[in-house]
Amino acid sequence: MALATQMISGLASGLDWRDIIDQLMRIERRPIDLVENKKSEYEQRLSAWQDLNTRLLSLRSAVDELKDPEDFNLFKATMTSSNTTVTASTLLNATTSSSAAPGTYTITISNLASAQKLSSNPFASITEALGTSYAGDILINGRVIHIYENDSLADIRDRINAANTGSNPTGVTASIVSYGTNNYRLILTNDTTGEEGISLLNASSADLLQLFGWKDS
């Protein structure tokens, strides 16, 4: 004899299976919801830190503009030049202090600095040997210049100019200028304008500086 099979539905059993399943799914999803909530919280914190960092960078930039004491000076010195080819700052410097009063000043430069130039005693020839009395050594800006008895004025000029080369030049250029018949002078010129850059010393027993007699020209 065959037995009949009966299926008990949710309605027949009094249980709401859909609600039970939804609750179970919500329980299973709770860890995911917690992680997403934490993620949202961390993102908000990150955004807050980024905003704070931006504000701090702006504050540092503002402070950097105030760290120079000169920014607090009441007055500043500005210079202009009437010559369009010359910048005023290349000619002079001007500064102010906390007690400075406003005003306009005009400075006239009538002469520009020139290089130091020394002229020797006159010599009758530039090619004849100077003789034994001129044999010896001199120091020009710390470099030794050897002078021999057979040297002429031209030889000494060339030797001085040879010492003004290389990694340690003297900074002094020698030339010979004719002031008339039998009147030649050995001229030493500083290569740097506006400075007394020629140092002359005897480096041997002979007093060559007195013999040459270099003086400002």
Side-chain angles (χ1 to χ4, degrees):
M1 176 178 174
L3 297 176
T5 302
Q6 293 182 348
M7 301 295 294
I8 301 175
S9 67
L11 293 176
S13 63
L15 297 176
D16 189 348
W17 294 104
R18 180 180 296 277
D19 182 62
I20 293 174
I21 293 173
D22 290 342
Q23 291 183 27
L24 290 174
M25 291 182 65
R26 283 196 294 271
I27 292 173
E28 290 293 331
R29 183 175 172 79
R30 184 172 299 172
I32 299 176
D33 292 338
L34 291 175
V35 170
E36 289 182 347
N37 290 337
K38 284 292 184 181
K39 176 184 176 183
S40 177
E41 180 182 349
Y42 289 145
E43 288 177 345
Q44 292 176 2
R45 290 184 181 181
L46 177 61
S47 177
W49 279 111
Q50 289 175 338
D51 180 66
L52 177 61
N53 183 62
T54 300
R55 294 175 184 271
L56 289 175
L57 289 175
S58 298
L59 177 61
R60 187 178 71 175
S61 298
V63 171
D64 286 342
E65 295 179 358
L66 299 175
K67 68 181 181 180
D68 191 347
E70 293 186 358
D71 292 336
F72 296 92
N73 289 341
L74 185 60
F75 300 108
K76 286 188 176 181
T78 58
M79 299 182 297
T80 59
S81 173
S82 60
N83 190 330
T84 57
T85 62
V86 178
T87 304
S89 59
T90 62
L91 301 176
L92 53 90
N93 292 324
T95 58
T96 60
S97 66
S98 58
S99 59
T104 301
Y105 304 90
T106 301
I107 299 175
T108 302
I109 299 176
S110 56
N111 291 298
L112 296 177
S114 58
Q116 184 186 17
K117 185 177 293 186
L118 302 178
S119 176
S120 73
N121 292 328
F123 291 85
S125 171
I126 65 173
T127 57
E128 292 181 1
L130 297 182
T132 56
S133 59
Y134 283 86
D137 299 327
I138 60 174
L139 284 174
I140 298 181
N141 286 355
R143 293 286 300 274
V144 178
I145 308 298
H146 301 289
I147 299 176
Y148 304 97
E149 60 181 277
N150 293 327
D151 283 342
S152 65
L153 203 62
D155 293 328
I156 299 171
R157 174 201 60 195
D158 295 341
R159 196 164 293 121
I160 292 174
N161 288 335
N164 192 24
T165 59
S167 60
N168 185 29
T170 61
V172 176
T173 299
S175 60
I176 297 175
V177 176
S178 173
Y179 286 85
T181 304
N182 298 330
N183 187 352
Y184 300 96
R185 305 194 183 204
L186 184 60
I187 307 298
L188 303 181
T189 304
N190 182 20
D191 293 342
T192 304
T193 301
E195 295 184 8
E196 290 189 5
I198 302 179
S199 172
L200 299 177
L201 294 172
N202 287 310
S204 62
S205 58
D207 190 356
L208 299 184
L209 297 185
Q210 182 178 4
L211 290 175
F212 280 100
W214 279 298
K215 60 180 69 69
D216 288 323
S217 64

